[in-house]
Amino acid sequence: MRLRSHAVLLVLAILVLPLRAFAQAPVTYRVSFPAPEHHYAQIEVTFPNVPGETLETRMSRSSPGRYAVHEYAKNVFELQAFDGKGKALIAARPNPYQWDVAGHDGTVRIVYKIYGDHVDGTYLAIDPTHAHINMPATLLWARGFDSRSVRITFEPPKNSSWVPATQLYTTDDPWTFTAPNLQYLMDSPTELSAQTIRTFKVRGGDGKEQTIRAAIHHDAGDIEIDQYVAGAEKIVKEHAAVFGELPDFEPGYYTFLGDYVPWGGGDGMEHRNSTVVAAPVSLRMPGMVTNVLDTVSHEFFHAWNVERIRPKTLEPFNFEEANMSGELWLAEGFTQYYGSLIMARSGLSKREEEVADLARAAVSVINHPGRQFRSAVQMSQLAPFTDAARSIDKTNHSITFISYYTYGCAVALALDLTLRDRSNGAITLDDYMQAMWRVHGKPGGPQPGLVGKPYTLADARARLAEVSGDRAFADEFFDQYVEGREVADYARLLLRAGYVMRKRNAGAAWLGPVNQLDASGTINSLLPWGSPLFDAGLDQGDVIIDVEGKAMASGVLQAAIKTRTPGDRLRVTFKRRGGATGTASITLKEDPSLDIVSVESTGVTLTADQKTFRESWLGSKAK
């Protein structure tokens, strides 16, 4: 892939001019909240030692962990520019995302307001209860200052009880923080609120102890917060056991930035030394703490996988355009797999529930029509159009796209069970992730926030060859299930652990997803490619008006299917947009729906080998 110009400039700035960059005065920000009830912040940023005649300042168009374009400049208003002596300067707009400032005296100070009222891992949200800050959605930055250090001061509203939580480096002033470079700054979400902050320490397999913080904006009580922190600690310990150690968290700790209020938003977003975990709920609701810990589990695995074990396609992250990667099946999908697996290993959820979730990912890939069009790699490359992307035109993604979370989770399940199966439990997916960590993650980078040895698809394949000791196996697995569109024999693999994958309605006739038809016979959504209705030429918007000469009504179609078997034909009359009518002869197929159940639930006794396999897979690894 051709290196992007922004990436080339960043690499040169880091490798060629680091001493000069660090010798220069830092970029400084002051972030205040004059009227939080109106959901805006005021930002003052000063760029000293500006080289050249014109300073090109930008709002980001994308954010770490998101791969689509989000156009943060749309929320900027009342922007003014000044030189170092306070003289007003003109801020020209060459494009929607940029302000060019010329005529300066070597210093440029810009003051602006920015609106934000959306809680998740991508945007800015401000109200009287808190400021939930995603840096790319908030801070203007300048080209050519990528490796310049940063100093940022927050000013809470008067008489507020807000306190800060962030992965930014602390200073003697509790409201002032620093970042070593632009990449680290933009990867450092910050929560300002009357939040509860708890800490605990976890020792990795290497004996090194690390501090973990839970900073929680909530409306719950101490009992729920205690339960949340205890669950987070179990999760951290189990994840550390996968890799044998915790990463070195640069500010000296890792922070869970939890936002759990009914009026908030929902999301999980990974960052190098922290994560945003949010849900529009109250933790006081019965069972809610356990429910939200599933996202905590997923996001903490990212501290290794994608933040440090990082695809080369995402390093360094480009803030000026969408970021495309063919490795998200591993970066996100394997994380999805471990998020569920760790919930089972930690005992925070029932094993059968987590196995069912993992198996459902496999079933989704097995039966989804999109697999005939795109591999796991190609699904990953579609992220700029599917990862919280916005569009108003219709797409057919519902029948041609499988989420790389789901696809990658299914690949991880297949690889874990296959490695265990072929080695009698001696080699597992944990060993593969340790190899990826050892070669690509742990070596570190030239500066905090940068990865020195990001991996390629070929690297991921090579690590599997090393771990398995079988290059032919690694090549076959990647050729078939990662870059190819085949699926593993999940039924056989799951049976090794004592789980049965079986047809839900064996021998039953299937027309397609009849739940997509309303009572009037209208097909309300796109039909799966290859389903009987699709093959007969029907699609979204068509209206079935009779079935075998019987007027369409509630239950008529289902009753007709019930009396038939796969291979039988069903004749329907339908009306198409514009009023034209037609007939179709539909060849029924066997219902492809699959269920996953334990062998015990079928009345069969679990064997000793199955019990050992299951325990090795799902049992706790933390000591």
Side-chain angles (χ1 to χ4, degrees):
M1 177 179 289
R2 179 178 61 86
L3 282 177
R4 298 163 292 199
S5 59
H6 182 73
V8 172
L9 289 173
L10 177 56
V11 171
L12 289 175
I14 293 165
L15 298 180
V16 179
L17 300 173
L19 294 178
R20 176 182 172 186
F22 284 120
Q24 293 176 321
V27 176
T28 60
Y29 291 88
R30 184 168 293 274
V31 181
S32 59
F33 308 92
E37 68 275 14
H38 295 306
H39 314 292
Y40 76 88
Q42 179 155 308
I43 316 295
E44 179 179 337
V45 53
T46 301
F47 300 97
N49 309 124
V50 177
E53 296 181 359
T54 302
L55 179 70
E56 298 179 355
T57 66
R58 305 268 300 183
M59 283 299 291
S60 298
R61 303 185 66 210
S62 58
S63 178
R66 289 287 187 224
Y67 311 106
V69 168
H70 293 286
E71 308 297 17
Y72 300 117
K74 65 183 180 293
N75 289 323
V76 173
F77 63 104
E78 205 172 84
L79 183 146
Q80 303 171 74
F82 306 89
D83 69 10
K85 299 181 179 63
K87 176 185 174 183
L89 302 173
I90 295 174
R93 294 290 297 275
N95 57 59
Y97 336 105
Q98 186 166 321
W99 291 261
D100 288 353
V101 182
H104 56 80
D105 58 359
T107 297
V108 173
R109 180 170 63 92
I110 295 178
V111 181
Y112 63 96
K113 294 179 175 63
I114 188 160
Y115 178 85
D117 190 25
H118 188 82
V119 175
D120 70 356
T122 310
Y123 296 100
L124 168 69
I126 301 166
D127 64 34
T129 71
H130 74 149
H132 179 92
I133 303 170
N134 184 41
M135 295 303 180
T138 310
L139 301 183
L140 196 80
W141 51 273
R143 283 177 171 161
F145 283 67
D146 304 77
S147 57
R148 191 82 68 92
S149 64
V150 174
R151 188 174 180 87
I152 180 168
T153 299
F154 300 99
E155 291 184 0
K158 293 181 179 179
N159 302 317
S160 75
S161 55
W162 290 7
V163 294
T166 180
Q167 70 171 32
L168 292 166
Y169 291 72
T170 59
T171 67
D172 292 338
D173 178 354
W175 286 97
T176 297
F177 301 85
T178 66
N181 52 56
L182 180 68
Q183 288 282 330
Y184 193 94
L185 173 69
M186 290 296 169
D187 197 37
S188 299
T190 299
E191 172 75 19
L192 311 176
S193 65
Q195 56 196 315
T196 299
I197 300 179
R198 300 278 186 87
T199 64
F200 57 90
K201 294 184 181 296
V202 173
R203 194 178 302 277
D206 59 349
K208 187 173 182 179
E209 193 174 61
Q210 299 268 28
T211 298
I212 310 295
R213 304 193 308 169
I216 312 166
H217 176 221
H218 64 94
D219 66 347
D222 287 343
I223 293 176
E224 290 81 18
I225 300 305
D226 290 345
Q227 184 183 357
Y228 181 94
V229 173
E233 185 172 357
K234 289 181 179 180
I235 286 168
V236 170
K237 289 178 177 178
E238 289 292 347
H239 280 305
V242 171
F243 293 94
E245 62 184 339
L246 288 156
D248 288 326
F249 301 123
E250 283 92 352
Y253 47 79
Y254 180 94
T255 306
F256 291 104
L257 296 168
D259 212 308
Y260 304 110
V261 289
W263 60 88
D267 200 8
M269 182 54 63
E270 69 275 5
H271 298 277
R272 185 171 177 88
N273 300 302
S274 63
T275 181
V276 169
V277 280
V281 299
S282 171
L283 296 182
R284 294 176 297 178
M285 297 172 62
M288 189 54 66
V289 170
T290 299
N291 287 345
V292 301
L293 285 173
D294 181 69
T295 303
V296 169
S297 181
H298 175 101
E299 297 304 329
F300 190 64
F301 195 76
H302 275 311
W304 293 269
N305 193 31
V306 91
E307 287 301 328
R308 291 170 172 84
I309 305 171
R310 193 162 179 84
K312 193 172 183 178
T313 44
L314 297 178
E315 181 65 22
F317 194 83
N318 189 338
F319 300 109
E320 297 195 22
E321 60 185 58
N323 287 254
M324 187 182 79
S325 172
E327 291 77 39
L328 297 184
W329 59 272
L330 199 165
E332 295 289 359
F334 276 39
T335 301
Q336 185 80 359
Y337 174 78
Y338 271 102
S340 293
L341 185 63
I342 294 307
M343 289 296 287
R345 287 181 177 177
S346 65
L348 290 168
S349 62
K350 295 179 180 179
R351 289 182 178 183
E352 283 67 27
E353 293 176 356
E354 297 302 336
V355 169
D357 279 347
L358 296 175
R360 273 193 289 270
V363 171
S364 295
V365 175
I366 291 169
N367 286 334
H368 199 288
R371 186 164 55 85
Q372 64 187 292
F373 303 110
R374 296 183 177 97
S375 67
V377 171
Q378 293 166 325
M379 296 296 180
S380 300
Q381 292 170 335
L382 214 60
F385 307 115
T386 60
D387 180 50
R390 300 288 188 267
S391 62
I392 60 173
D393 62 321
K394 295 179 180 180
T395 72
N396 68 348
H397 289 167
S398 64
I399 60 172
T400 62
F401 172 71
I402 306 171
S403 168
Y404 39 87
Y405 288 86
T406 302
Y407 212 138
C409 181
V411 172
L413 175 63
L415 184 54
D416 198 2
L417 296 182
T418 299
L419 288 171
R420 293 173 183 275
D421 177 53
R422 69 196 306 271
S423 68
N424 290 319
I427 302 172
T428 74
L429 192 63
D430 292 3
D431 297 301
Y432 178 71
M433 295 311 302
Q434 289 171 18
M436 292 293 290
W437 168 244
R438 184 175 60 255
V439 177
H440 300 287
K442 189 175 180 179
Q447 292 182 29
L450 300 170
V451 175
K453 299 185 71 174
Y455 69 89
T456 64
L457 190 60
D459 291 327
R461 182 187 289 246
R463 298 294 81 75
L464 181 56
E466 293 169 8
V467 168
S468 66
D470 189 338
R471 181 71 200 209
F473 160 73
D475 286 340
E476 181 181 41
F477 190 92
F478 269 74
D479 289 345
Q480 291 181 336
Y481 310 132
V482 176
E483 297 183 73
R485 302 171 192 171
E486 300 177 48
V487 290
D489 186 353
Y490 289 100
R492 187 188 69 80
L493 293 170
L494 284 165
L495 191 58
R496 285 295 314 270
Y499 294 97
V500 177
M501 177 179 281
R502 62 187 184 184
K503 291 186 176 180
R504 183 178 302 165
N505 301 303
W510 180 70
L511 182 71
V514 292
N515 60 322
Q516 294 178 354
L517 280 73
D518 63 20
S520 69
T522 302
I523 302 173
N524 288 316
S525 60
L526 292 175
L527 296 170
W529 205 285
S531 66
L533 281 168
F534 182 95
D535 289 346
L538 282 83
D539 213 322
Q540 184 176 20
D542 292 342
V543 181
I544 297 175
I545 55 180
D546 79 56
V547 180
E548 294 289 347
K550 189 172 184 178
M552 182 66 178
S554 179
V556 168
L557 194 57
Q558 290 85 346
I561 298 170
K562 195 171 184 179
T563 62
R564 287 165 171 77
T565 59
D568 289 349
R569 291 180 177 274
L570 192 66
R571 189 174 184 83
V572 302
T573 303
F574 63 91
K575 182 170 63 175
R576 187 152 282 164
R577 66 173 68 174
T581 60
T583 60
S585 179
I586 305 169
T587 302
L588 302 176
K589 297 181 179 180
E590 185 179 23
D591 189 343
S593 302
L594 296 169
D595 280 331
I596 292 86
V597 297
S598 66
V599 296
E600 302 96 307
S601 68
T602 68
V604 176
T605 302
L606 188 71
T607 69
D609 283 346
Q610 287 173 325
K611 185 177 181 179
T612 299
F613 192 103
R614 183 187 292 181
E615 187 61 31
S616 174
W617 177 33
L618 303 175
S620 174
K621 303 296 182 291
K623 298 178 181 179

